Amino acid sequence: MTRALQNQPRSASLPRAEATSGHGRNLSLLWAGQFVNTAGLMMLVPIMPFYLEQIGTRGVAETQTWSGVAIAAPALALTVATPLWGRLGDRIGRKWMVVRALLGLAVAMVVMATAGTPVLLVIGRLLQGTLGGVVEAAAAFAGSTGSDAKRGSSLGKSFSATAAGALAGPVAGGLLVGAGGLPQLMLGIAGLAAALAVACAWGLREPGGTRASAGPSASAKPDEPKRPSARRVPGAAALALAAIGAYFGVYGLIPVYAEHVEGVLGGRGNASLWVGVLHSVMWGATLLGSFWWGKHNDLTGRPVRTFAIAAAGCAASIAVMSLPLDPYAMIPLRLVQGFCFAALAQSLFLHFSKHAPGEHRSAFVSTANSYLLIGQSSGPLLVGPLIGLLAAPGAVLVMAGACGLGCLLAIRPCLDEQHRDEDEVAGRKDLAGTDETRPIPAVTSQRGGVFAVPFRGWLINPHHLDALATRYATPWNDAAAPSGEPGASDAWRSGLIAQDGQPAFYAYEQAGPHGALRGVLASVHLDSALQAHEEISPERVDQLTRLMDRGRTNLDPALLGFCGDGRTTRLLATTARRKPSTEVRTRDGQTHRLWRITDRSAQDAITAELGARTAFIADGHHRRAAAQRYRRSASASGRGPGPWDHFPALLVDVTANRLRLAPVHRVLPHLDPNHALRTTSAHFRVHPLRGPLAHWLAALKRHAGQRPAFVLATPRGGFLLADPQPGFLQAALDATPPPLRSAHVAVLDSALIHQLWQFPGGDRRIEFQPNAAAAVRTARRTGGVAVLTNPPGQHDLESAAASGIRLPRKSTSFGPEPHPGLVFRVLDEQ
């Protein structure tokens, strides 16, 4: 589950309508602030040479030099200030950075409106960069708080405000520069920015958990790792240079472009008006492109590739503009440049935010923005001296080359991005062995505690460790006796395993191609504060209870997650430096190790920490329910308290060792595939899938980020089920509790399997398979279908926990699961 539940319990339980309303208000306020900021600045930028001539510059060289300095000044200041503001935003809240930026804009616009010399104008623009940065603050807000599935769209909408302001600004500047009305307009923008600052202070709402300082879990600890660095983002160095190159070319074109257009016209028209019109054309295309690229990034999940393509488009369009074309012929080139330019910043921000820890996303986005600002400031600064060496068309070609260099530098990170995506889908090793997973932290609460005690475990003798290679050689699954039959555990005790002489906790660790895990094995009281998230099957609980009764042995240890204070984690790390009591490498490539913890002070420290924590049942809902039923049976027979009051569990501190979550797919044997496709096509869009299973899962991942989507695997191929009709979902989920209606697994079970397909036999005939390849093989063997799905998202788990409602059974597969045969706990002795 998520630590956000601990920090923001109220936000997790907000009604959906309120959450949606807050998100819409955020977007509206951010959009307005960015529009005002960009319109105020861009009205000067394209006609900066003409405006500077009005306030005192003389000659082309002087005017171009001051133009470059004035255009670059805000970016220079922002390059230094933005990372600092970003870190402060992570600490005190990103909305206050937006408020601060709007107030800074108001101050800067007043200074610029009253500037009577080029020096004062530059000072005003330096103030805007140092104190302002509305666009950067809003982009950090959008890039750090949007959901993973729609963060690209949020950034696209955010940048559409920049495009809209840049579309309106040049037209206003071009019309007013000759009439002398720019200072009055600047003062009006200053007043509007101040009013918007007040509105944002009142109206902006940050989603729960976005502030790094919120909640006790964010408090600094002496043993915590250092602040993560944005330099660790994949391809960070190459992308930094690519961003500088691309923005150097785009913004370096601005001051030279006015000179170029004026030279093309040759006194045949109003150069300032044409410059404003052509800039507006570009930013109009940017406005449209912002939305399109945002959705494209969400769909493909490949922002680095988008950046490379967009940089190439900018380079090509700018290169052609170096020709002596009529202004009308430049219009389509500016459209191409503007459309491609819309993708650059938002794609870079999306890539950095995807690889940033949640509490540091604002700082990572701000660091990425600094790379852009270096190019944005250095381009206009250097173009002034460049104009003295080259004619305007030659300087335009240099800017095209800079954008092309940005494309080339992004190619290697783009290829690495493709390989990472393929590795994630393929499970890095073998698709048949593991599916894509993602880290999910646990939920914690201040209510109750986990009452864990040491126990005298039964460990396998060292010379019989090869029996554990299958990972399932246990007393209830023994080659010496049928599973569940009396005598199975007795056969194990006859020389194969031996009991420890004193109670112990057991440090457990595994590592290998399926992931790494470290935790403590303990005997956990059944009355402990354990949070469940899935429904259980009574039939399965009955079966497991019978196994416990017949074998007089507990089953596999449950997997529990908790958020600790570090004591247990440090003890386990110290213990793991010793030689393990048991070490075995299983056939799936995982290495499992076990250490005894018998020191009383260490045991007391573990007991004390767990006693103040609530644990989340990651895996083991049915085993816990079976242990509870066994205890009730023992109590009814008059046996009173005993070893049946506890059950074994592996407790993992997820603040140091996060669990991983994979989907659990459904296999419906003997369901007619033609019937399933025919009935589904009336309510979903059905797309045939080609290629290997990895491509199917990649398509599922792209579409499931927007709305419920599934892959229907049949003996004759795979089909993507996407874009369900809203009316169908509303009717099919009418009996489903509201917090679960957005969960894909609830849509699958309620709307598809039970209502649309009316699968006979109910859950008893459904096979649950955490491995996609195995699910597809089973469907082909039985002539039925397999339905591949994504795991529940963060919102689904939060909603279920906050409302006390459980997800359908077998909704999640947390792991990696502990080895079931390293240590056993029996029920017929203390």
Side-chain angles (χ1 to χ4, degrees), residues 169-433:
V171 173
L175 292 174
L176 293 176
V177 67
L182 286 180
Q184 290 78 10
L185 184 58
M186 292 180 197
L187 291 174
I189 290 174
L192 189 55
L196 278 171
V198 175
C200 287
W202 172 81
L204 277 184
R205 295 290 183 271
E206 295 194 56
T210 60
R211 280 180 56 179
S213 61
S217 62
S219 59
K221 302 180 181 68
D223 58 332
E224 280 186 346
K226 296 180 180 179
R227 171 183 288 273
S229 171
R231 292 191 297 271
R232 296 184 178 272
V233 170
L239 287 173
L241 295 175
I244 292 171
Y247 261 49
F248 180 97
V250 171
Y251 279 87
L253 180 67
I254 293 175
V256 74
Y257 193 65
E259 182 76 17
H260 181 56
V261 172
E262 192 171 30
V264 169
L265 287 172
R268 293 183 289 108
N270 189 335
S272 64
L273 180 60
W274 264 114
V275 170
V277 169
L278 288 172
H279 273 271
S280 296
V281 166
M282 172 196 160
W283 285 104
T286 302
L287 175 61
L288 298 177
S290 297
F291 296 105
W292 191 89
W293 288 114
K295 294 180 180 178
H296 177 78
N297 280 333
D298 281 339
L299 183 64
T300 63
R302 300 281 302 278
V304 178
R305 183 181 67 179
T306 298
F307 181 95
I309 293 172
C314 288
S317 57
I318 293 174
V320 178
M321 278 189 285
S322 66
L323 300 174
L325 302 173
D326 186 88
Y328 288 103
M330 293 185 185
I331 290 176
L333 297 174
R334 295 292 279 178
L335 288 171
V336 173
Q337 182 196 346
F339 186 81
C340 293
F341 175 72
L344 294 176
Q346 61 170 294
S347 298
L348 188 72
F349 290 177
L350 180 60
H351 177 70
F352 274 73
S353 68
K354 282 175 60 177
H355 295 279
E359 65 272 21
H360 296 292
R361 280 184 182 146
S362 183
F364 274 50
V365 170
S366 297
T367 300
N369 190 53
S370 294
Y371 305 144
L372 298 174
L373 291 170
I374 292 173
Q376 181 177 334
S377 57
S378 59
L381 274 177
L382 296 178
V383 78
L386 190 63
I387 278 288
L389 301 174
L390 298 173
V396 173
L397 274 178
V398 172
M399 300 305 117
C403 291
L405 180 61
C407 170
L408 294 176
L409 289 168
I411 288 178
R412 178 59 185 271
C414 175
L415 295 176
D416 292 341
E417 178 186 58
Q418 179 181 352
H419 296 326
R420 281 194 306 273
D421 287 349
E422 292 172 351
D423 286 344
E424 287 179 5
V425 175
R428 293 191 177 274
K429 287 290 182 179
D430 180 9
L431 183 63

Side-chain angles (χ1 to χ4, degrees), residues 14 60 119 125 137 141-142 211 225 256 291 318 328-329 337 457 468 562 653 684 689 736 772:
L14 283 173
V60 173
V119 174
R125 291 181 66 80
F141 191 101
R211 280 180 56 179
V256 74
F291 296 105
I318 293 174
Y328 288 103
Q337 182 196 346
L468 296 179
F562 71 99
D653 184 350
F684 285 75
L689 295 171
T736 303

Side-chain angles (χ1 to χ4, degrees), residues 27 31 34 108 137 199 263 322 377 448 450 495-496 544 565 572 643 724 734 751 757 765 777 781 785 793 828:
L27 286 179
W31 201 97
Q34 291 179 91
S322 66
S377 57
V450 178
L496 288 179
L544 296 179
D565 58 20
L572 294 178
D734 183 61
W757 297 337
R765 297 192 58 191
R777 288 196 300 267
R781 186 183 70 250
V785 303
D828 56 0

Side-chain angles (χ1 to χ4, degrees), residues 665-667 713 769-780 785-788:
H665 311 293
R666 271 58 171 159
V667 180
Q769 176 57 257
N771 181 268
V776 172
R777 288 196 300 267
T778 302
R780 290 171 177 169
V785 303
V787 188
L788 312 183

Side-chain angles (χ1 to χ4, degrees), residues 759-777:
F759 184 66
D763 289 350
R764 291 189 298 275
R765 297 192 58 191
I766 298 175
E767 297 183 19
F768 300 93
Q769 176 57 257
N771 181 268
V776 172
R777 288 196 300 267

